[in-house]
């Protein structure tokens, strides 16, 4: 049994185009889904980076506040030491004066 095909070259091209279109649609859908998942990952990454920057900024502010408190404490301590040193020098001066007065 012989099958005789009388469609010609035009029918072959139409069949080929139909097959290509049929295969292209799922490939496009897969490609689009892949891009969407990449975009979702990129958005998630950007949100995490934003949270990280907010935490860094909050940490920076807390460190500055901590440093300011520490600096104030050191200033007060240095002022007390300076005052004690000045009082000590004054006492020595008074003691030396009294020794000189006693010798006279």
């Amino acid at each position: 049994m012989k099958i005789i095909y009388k469609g010609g070259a035009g029918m072959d091209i139409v069949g080929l185009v139909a097959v290509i279109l049929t295969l292209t649609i799922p490939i496009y859908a897969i490609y689009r889904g892949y891009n969407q998942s990449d975009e979702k990952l990129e958005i998630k990454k950007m949100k995490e980076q934003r949270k990280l920057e907010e935490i860094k900024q909050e940490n920076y502010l807390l460190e500055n506040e901590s440093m300011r408190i520490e600096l104030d404490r050191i200033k007060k301590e240095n002022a007390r030491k300076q005052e004690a040193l000045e009082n000590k020098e004054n006492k020595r001066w008074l003691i030396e004066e009294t020794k000189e007065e006693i010798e006279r």
Side-chain angles (χ1 to χ4, degrees):
M1 177 182 295
K2 257 186 176 179
I3 299 177
I4 300 173
Y5 179 69
K6 293 183 180 182
M11 291 302 270
D12 289 340
I13 293 175
V14 170
L16 182 63
V17 170
V19 170
I20 290 174
L21 287 176
T22 305
L23 295 176
T24 305
I25 292 171
I27 292 172
Y28 175 73
I30 292 170
Y31 175 74
R32 185 171 175 200
Y34 177 76
N35 282 344
Q36 285 178 348
S37 65
D38 279 354
E39 289 173 3
K40 288 178 184 177
L41 289 174
E42 188 69 27
I43 290 170
K44 185 177 179 181
K45 180 180 175 184
M46 288 172 59
K47 286 180 181 178
E48 289 176 359
Q49 285 178 343
R50 183 176 179 213
K51 282 183 183 179
L52 180 63
E53 287 300 321
E54 288 173 356
I55 291 170
K56 283 181 180 180
Q57 187 176 13
E58 186 177 320
N59 187 33
Y60 176 77
L61 294 174
L62 289 173
E63 283 182 8
N64 281 348
E65 182 66 20
S66 175
M67 287 178 166
R68 186 188 60 76
I69 291 170
E70 182 71 17
L71 183 60
D72 289 344
R73 187 186 62 78
I74 291 171
K75 283 180 181 179
K76 288 177 184 177
E77 187 177 308
N78 285 344
R80 270 189 272 131
K81 286 180 181 178
Q82 185 66 29
E83 188 177 313
L85 184 61
E86 288 173 0
N87 288 340
K88 191 175 181 181
E89 288 177 358
N90 289 340
K91 288 180 183 178
R92 285 185 183 171
W93 177 259
L94 291 174
I95 293 171
E96 288 175 10
E97 282 184 358
T98 56
K99 284 183 181 178
E100 290 176 8
E101 290 176 3
I102 293 174
E103 290 178 2
R104 287 187 195 170

